[in-house]
């Protein structure tokens, strides 16, 4: 039996923050287009990024373009499609793409097998396909069998399980690899990583953070390799606002101490 996990503490020190999006920062909705990010959450994200000197990134199954729409006008470092596309702090973007003929062949196979099933949505991304069956839970075996049959034909592809979704994506990308890539470059390098996520896709991110002896935080009650747990998305919002307030408090204390020491030296 998995040991009970505690709520994460408020942190003080040099940290790098990584957030999943859906189910972590934003509440899950019946359709991905219905998701929104509350204004106060956006505010606290901006504050945390500022207090961390830019060491904050989103790592999501969504594309970078989608994430930008939720967080505009901010342009955070981002990893989209589980890391198949990534943008660093300087705005440089790295994208892993699949050959057009491979994408076309997969699209045709998916449409032929799943296109007429009510409640199953085929979402095409720049280098992946997400098969949603939240509105057709009885179709789960068919969706999984179709996805497995397709990936069996391509050595460079793998399946990624999620909540009422299975993705066909390049096998050499995952959220853990995205964490490693960010941690190898400023402003993340030299800091302690913190990663919050809710889904099976986030387990690779937790594992990477654990390798750095960082702070891995599971959102929800499912089994996990994370070391801390938050109950749900509102709990994430509360922790985020509390973390910002704590950092600001620590900064104010340091500033007053510095002013006092400067005053003392001037006497």
């Amino acid at each position: 039996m998995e040991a009970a996990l505690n709520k994460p503490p408020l942190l003080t020190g040099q940290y790098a923050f990584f957030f999943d999006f859906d189910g972590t920062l934003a509440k899950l909705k019946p359709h991905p287009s219905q998701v929104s990010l509350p204004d106060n959450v956006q505010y606290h994200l901006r504050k945390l990024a500022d207090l961390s000197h830019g060491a904050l990134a989103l790592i999501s199954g969504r594309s970078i373009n989608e994430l930008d729409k939720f967080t505009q006008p901010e342009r955070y470092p981002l990893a989209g499609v589980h890391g198949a596309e990534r943008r660093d702090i300087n705005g440089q973007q790295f994208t892993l793409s699949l050959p057009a003929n491979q994408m076309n062949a997969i699209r045709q196979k998916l449409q032929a097998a799943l296109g007429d099933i009510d409640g199953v949505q085929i979402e095409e991304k720049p280098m992946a396909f997400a098969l949603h069956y939240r509105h057709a839970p009885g179709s789960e075996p068919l969706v999984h069998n179709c996805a497995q049959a397709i990936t069996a034909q391509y050595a460079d592809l793998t399946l990624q399980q999620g909540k009422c979704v299975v993705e066909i994506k390049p096998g050499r990308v995952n959220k853990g690899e995205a964490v490693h890539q960010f941690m190898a470059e400023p402003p993340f390098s030299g800091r302690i990583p913190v990663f919050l996520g809710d889904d099976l896709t986030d387990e690779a991110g937790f594992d990477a953070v654990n390798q750095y002896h960082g702070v891995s935080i599971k959102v929800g009650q499912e089994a996990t390799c994370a070391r801390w747990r938050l109950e749900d998305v509102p709990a994430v919002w509360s922790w985020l606002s509390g973390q910002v307030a704590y950092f600001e408090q620590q900064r104010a204390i340091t500033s007053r101490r510095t002013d006092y020491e400067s005053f003392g030296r001037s006497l």
Side-chain angles (χ1 to χ4, degrees):
M1 175 181 283
E2 183 184 40
L5 301 180
N6 295 323
K7 290 177 59 176
L10 295 177
L11 307 171
T12 179
Q14 299 295 308
Y15 288 88
F17 292 90
F18 303 100
F19 293 88
D20 171 47
F21 188 76
D22 294 276
T24 298
L25 284 175
K27 291 182 178 180
L28 294 171
K29 297 292 183 180
H31 193 278
S33 64
Q34 298 172 332
V35 170
S36 61
L37 194 62
D39 290 343
N40 65 317
V41 179
Q42 295 194 52
Y43 169 79
H44 286 123
L45 274 181
R46 289 194 299 269
K47 291 293 293 183
L48 187 59
D50 175 63
L51 291 164
S52 306
H53 302 284
L56 182 149
L58 306 187
I59 303 179
S60 171
R62 288 184 183 263
S63 69
I64 284 178
N65 287 339
E66 287 181 291
L67 294 171
D68 274 338
K69 290 176 183 177
F70 286 113
T71 58
Q72 62 184 346
E74 304 301 318
R75 283 180 61 83
Y76 297 111
L78 301 175
V81 196
H82 308 288
E85 53 181 18
R86 193 175 70 89
R87 184 175 71 211
D88 67 15
I89 190 69
N90 299 312
Q92 185 174 359
Q93 192 159 323
F94 311 88
T95 302
L96 176 66
S97 60
L98 296 177
N101 61 339
Q102 187 176 7
M103 291 290 288
N104 291 336
I106 295 172
R107 183 187 307 111
Q108 291 173 9
K109 294 176 187 296
L110 291 174
Q111 287 292 346
L114 306 174
D116 295 330
I117 300 178
D118 289 338
V120 174
Q121 178 194 358
I122 302 171
E123 179 189 3
E124 183 171 344
K125 302 178 181 183
M127 68 298 293
F129 292 88
L131 312 177
H132 301 270
Y133 52 88
R134 185 178 300 275
H135 298 296
S139 299
E140 179 180 359
L142 178 61
V143 171
H144 279 253
N145 289 340
C146 176
Q148 288 171 349
I150 289 174
T151 54
Q153 299 175 27
Y154 300 97
D156 58 337
L157 298 182
T158 190
L159 294 185
Q160 177 64 67
Q161 309 270 5
K163 293 179 179 177
C164 296
V165 62
V166 60
E167 296 197 40
I168 300 171
K169 68 180 185 69
R172 56 192 183 277
V173 299
N174 59 63
K175 293 185 178 182
E177 183 59 29
V179 168
H180 286 305
Q181 290 170 347
F182 279 123
M183 289 298 293
E185 60 193 28
F188 303 92
S189 56
R191 290 173 170 263
I192 302 170
V194 181
F195 181 60
L196 290 83
D198 75 303
D199 209 343
L200 286 171
T201 63
D202 300 307
E203 291 298 316
F206 297 147
D207 182 63
V209 166
N210 291 344
Q211 292 176 39
Y212 292 96
H213 304 287
V215 181
S216 50
I217 305 172
K218 167 73 175 182
V219 182
Q221 299 304 314
E222 297 86 357
T224 181
C225 69
R227 294 172 175 167
W228 305 90
R229 191 187 299 276
L230 288 169
E231 182 177 356
D232 51 22
V233 173
V236 173
W237 296 344
S238 178
W239 180 84
L240 174 60
S241 64
Q243 185 61 60
V244 168
Y246 190 59
F247 270 162
E248 290 181 324
Q249 179 186 53
Q250 295 301 307
R251 175 184 281 188
I253 292 172
T254 300
S255 178
R256 287 197 297 269
R257 183 182 298 121
T258 301
D259 291 343
Y260 177 78
E261 291 174 351
S262 298
F263 176 73
R265 286 193 295 269
S266 68
L267 293 179

